[in-house]
């Protein structure tokens, strides 16, 4: 019970912070997924930044940060209130659509239960991520544990940002003992919050039957819950990148400032999770600018990477990337391994191929630049990696594609809706001219 109570208590606080940042106009249950992701992202990021100035990643520091963020959010919305938003517009749900949403909810509930009952199987969790979080709690950000030296044993991959380590450390502290199940439990909650966030953001622009089918395809993918139970940091990275994509896509339709802010916020949080997020965020900004130059404002999110990069530079923490043009022969092997995971129906069902087909039939092939750019970054990373290629592919090719898959999953309902609207418009045009 301590596990359940501790993790839920921490996430309840995250939820409150998230709602405070969303503003009173969105204080509705339908915004809970967005609120949780915003709360976790903001508190985790600020506690991470606090460790760079000498504080520990403790529950006390997190509580002060959460309270300050919540107060700032409430003050902001009181002085600059957004438009009042009513409940989501009523949409007619047929029996099949209602059943599909019911299955989505049931699978998510089972996924959360499974998360609380699972110990992470990926050795990076207990070898890298969680130990770093415990060190941040007990010792703060001690450069002697990250910069190679002759006195202390340093962590592996010391250049990784520490957001995921901070979040899991807070969960451990709330539980009151070292229980690695907190990692899977936290990741399950983030995953369910992502499903809810996508449903809410796309509810106004995608018909319920399409949205229900798209979400069902995602939650029924075996690999999604396998990654939840593995404790992978790649999944929260993918969640925030895909959340930015969903918010950015909606901003293109509505030009609502809140959605542009949510886009930039999600990208900023992604930068705190893994090193490769820097180039992935830059790529998404460039692709977004092809659809609207105003999306270049999202490039401000890149400033969120500066504190960690500056700390690394100041303490001579090495990175892993090194461009070696003589190792281009690694790319075909990497492409083959990655494609096997992307198109294997026993892992992610048909999410990626369906997104490709829908982009073509909806005559919007350029949206494929989003997952395409992320995939190109993955292949480039394998080209630049220092380790033996077969080992690297065997241990990571199944998980580094998470941003590609989740971005495709977000595009599916948008593309399907566009295709259906085009067909309806064509029928109306034919009816006007008397064609059968």
């Amino acid at each position: 019970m301590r596990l359940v109570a501790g993790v839920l208590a921490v996430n309840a606080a995250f939820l409150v912070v998230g709602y405070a940042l969303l503003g009173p106009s969105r204080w509705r249950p339908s915004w809970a997924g967005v609120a949780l992701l915003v709360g976790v992202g903001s508190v985790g990021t600020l506690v991470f930044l606090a460790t760079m100035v000498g504080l520990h990643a403790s529950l006390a520091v997190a509580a002060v940060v959460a309270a300050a963020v919540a107060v700032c959010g409430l003050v902001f919305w009181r002085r600059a209130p957004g438009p009042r938003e009513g409940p989501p517009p009523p949409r007619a749900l047929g029996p099949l659509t209602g059943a599909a949403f019911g299955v989505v909810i049931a699978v998510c509930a089972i996924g959360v239960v499974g998360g609380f009952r699972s110990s992470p199987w990926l050795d990076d969790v207990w070898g890298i991520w969680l130990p770093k979080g415990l060190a941040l709690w007990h010792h703060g950000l001690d450069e002697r544990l990250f910069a190679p030296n002759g006195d202390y044993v340093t962590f592996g991959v010391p250049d990784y940002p520490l957001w995921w380590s901070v979040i899991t450390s807070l969960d451990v502290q709330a539980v009151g003992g070292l229980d690695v199940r907190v990692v899977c439990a936290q990741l399950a909650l983030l995953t369910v919050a992502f499903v809810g966030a996508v449903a809410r953001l796309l509810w106004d622009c995608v018909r319920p039957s399409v949205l229900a089918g798209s979400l069902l395809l995602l939650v029924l993918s075996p690999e999604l819950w396998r990654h939840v139970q593995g404790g992978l940091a790649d999944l929260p990275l993918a969640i925030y990148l895909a959340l930015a994509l969903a918010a950015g896509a909606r901003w293109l339709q509505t030009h609502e400032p809140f959605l542009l802010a949510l886009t930039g916020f999600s990208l900023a949080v992604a930068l705190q999770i893994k090193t490769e997020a820097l180039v992935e965020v830059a790529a998404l900004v460039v692709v977004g600018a092809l659809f609207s130059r105003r999306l270049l404002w999202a490039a401000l999110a890149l400033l969120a990477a500066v504190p960690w990069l500056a700390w690394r530079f100041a303490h001579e923490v090495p990175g892993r990337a090194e461009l070696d043009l003589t190792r281009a022969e690694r790319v075909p092997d990497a492409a083959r391994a990655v494609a096997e995971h992307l198109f294997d129906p026993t892992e992610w069902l048909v999410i990626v191929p369906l997104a490709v087909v829908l982009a073509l039939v909806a005559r919007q092939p350029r949206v494929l630049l989003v997952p395409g750019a992320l995939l190109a970054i993955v292949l480039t990373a394998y080209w630049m990696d220092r380790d033996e290629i077969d080992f690297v592919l065997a241990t990571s090719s199944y998980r580094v594609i998470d941003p590609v898959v989740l971005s495709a999953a977000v595009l599916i309902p948008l593309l399907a809706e566009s295709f259906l609207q085009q067909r309806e418009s064509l029928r109306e045009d034919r009816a006007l001219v008397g064609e059968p």
Side-chain angles (χ1 to χ4, degrees):
M1 288 301 295
R2 288 196 308 171
L3 169 68
V4 176
V7 174
L8 290 183
V10 169
N11 282 273
F14 290 149
L15 188 64
V16 170
V17 173
Y19 270 121
L21 291 176
L22 295 185
S25 65
R26 298 180 181 86
W27 287 357
R28 300 183 182 278
S30 60
W31 284 95
V34 179
L36 181 58
L37 293 177
V38 169
V40 177
S42 58
V43 175
T45 297
L46 291 174
V47 173
F48 174 30
L49 295 178
T51 64
M52 297 183 206
V53 296
L55 299 179
H56 290 203
S58 65
L59 280 178
V61 171
V64 172
V65 167
V69 172
V71 169
C72 289
L74 294 175
V75 170
F76 171 80
W77 287 110
R78 183 177 180 180
R79 295 185 175 182
R84 292 297 301 177
E85 180 178 298
R91 309 289 293 271
L93 299 181
L96 289 179
T97 300
F101 275 121
V103 173
V104 170
I105 294 171
V107 172
C108 287
I110 294 171
V112 170
V113 173
F116 275 93
R117 294 176 60 88
S118 300
S119 295
W121 48 258
L122 183 66
D123 55 0
D124 283 358
V125 173
W126 59 82
I128 298 175
W129 296 106
L130 192 52
K132 288 182 177 180
L134 298 179
L136 292 174
W137 170 27
H138 291 293
H139 307 291
L141 186 54
D142 189 335
E143 68 275 7
R144 294 173 296 181
L145 299 177
F146 292 87
N149 57 81
D151 299 321
Y152 293 86
V153 175
T154 56
F155 287 115
V157 288
D159 57 320
Y160 276 4
L162 301 171
W163 180 91
W164 186 228
S165 296
V166 167
I167 296 299
T168 53
S169 173
L170 295 176
D171 285 326
V172 167
Q173 296 172 56
V175 169
L178 182 55
D179 190 336
V180 294
R181 290 177 296 175
V182 302
V183 180
C184 299
Q186 182 64 61
L187 195 47
L189 293 174
L190 292 179
T191 301
V192 172
F194 172 70
V195 174
V198 172
R200 183 59 192 89
L201 290 173
L202 302 187
W203 181 260
D204 299 339
C205 66
V206 175
R207 62 196 70 192
S209 58
V210 170
L211 187 57
S214 303
L215 295 177
L216 191 61
L217 183 64
L218 175 61
V219 301
L220 289 180
S221 296
E223 198 71 358
L224 176 67
W225 302 108
R226 180 172 177 265
H227 288 195
V228 167
Q229 294 179 327
L232 312 187
D234 305 85
L235 188 52
L237 170 62
I239 285 172
Y240 279 98
L241 290 175
L243 179 65
L245 174 59
R250 286 293 289 135
W251 178 84
L252 287 172
Q253 297 173 333
T254 67
H255 291 282
E256 183 183 351
F258 166 77
L259 293 170
L260 185 58
L262 181 60
T263 301
F265 170 84
S266 302
L267 294 177
V269 175
L271 290 166
Q272 315 307 318
I273 302 176
K274 293 195 74 179
T275 304
E276 59 264 34
L278 183 60
V279 286
E280 290 177 336
V281 167
L284 290 181
V285 170
V286 171
V287 172
L290 299 178
F291 293 87
S292 173
R293 283 180 294 179
R294 289 182 63 187
L295 279 175
L296 281 174
W297 283 105
L300 292 173
L302 291 168
L303 296 175
V306 172
W308 179 239
L309 293 175
W311 190 91
R312 281 178 49 196
F313 177 78
H315 296 92
E316 300 181 347
V317 176
R320 292 173 56 82
E322 61 175 15
L323 182 59
D324 185 348
L325 300 179
T326 65
R327 295 183 296 184
E329 73 279 356
R330 298 161 64 96
V331 176
D333 291 337
R336 185 162 45 250
V338 167
E340 289 175 356
H341 292 294
L342 286 174
F343 295 99
D344 185 348
T346 66
E347 295 185 13
W348 291 104
L349 299 183
V350 294
I351 288 179
V352 173
L354 180 58
V356 174
V357 170
L358 286 173
L360 296 178
V361 298
R363 292 177 290 182
Q364 297 187 41
R366 65 175 184 165
V367 302
L368 295 177
L369 289 172
V370 175
L374 296 174
L375 179 58
I377 290 168
V378 169
L379 298 179
T380 302
Y382 282 129
W383 176 11
M384 299 168 62
D385 196 280
R386 301 173 179 177
D387 297 322
E388 196 273 327
I389 187 61
D390 291 334
F391 167 77
V392 175
L393 291 175
T395 57
S396 66
S397 61
Y398 64 90
R399 54 186 172 85
V400 295
I401 60 172
D402 284 4
V404 180
V405 176
L406 291 198
S407 66
V410 168
L411 290 174
I412 283 175
L414 293 167
L415 291 170
E417 180 66 27
S418 176
F419 172 67
L420 293 175
Q421 289 181 4
Q422 290 175 25
R423 290 188 60 185
E424 292 171 353
S425 177
L426 181 60
R427 288 174 184 164
E428 293 174 358
D429 292 342
R430 287 177 174 176
L432 289 175
V433 297
E435 292 185 7

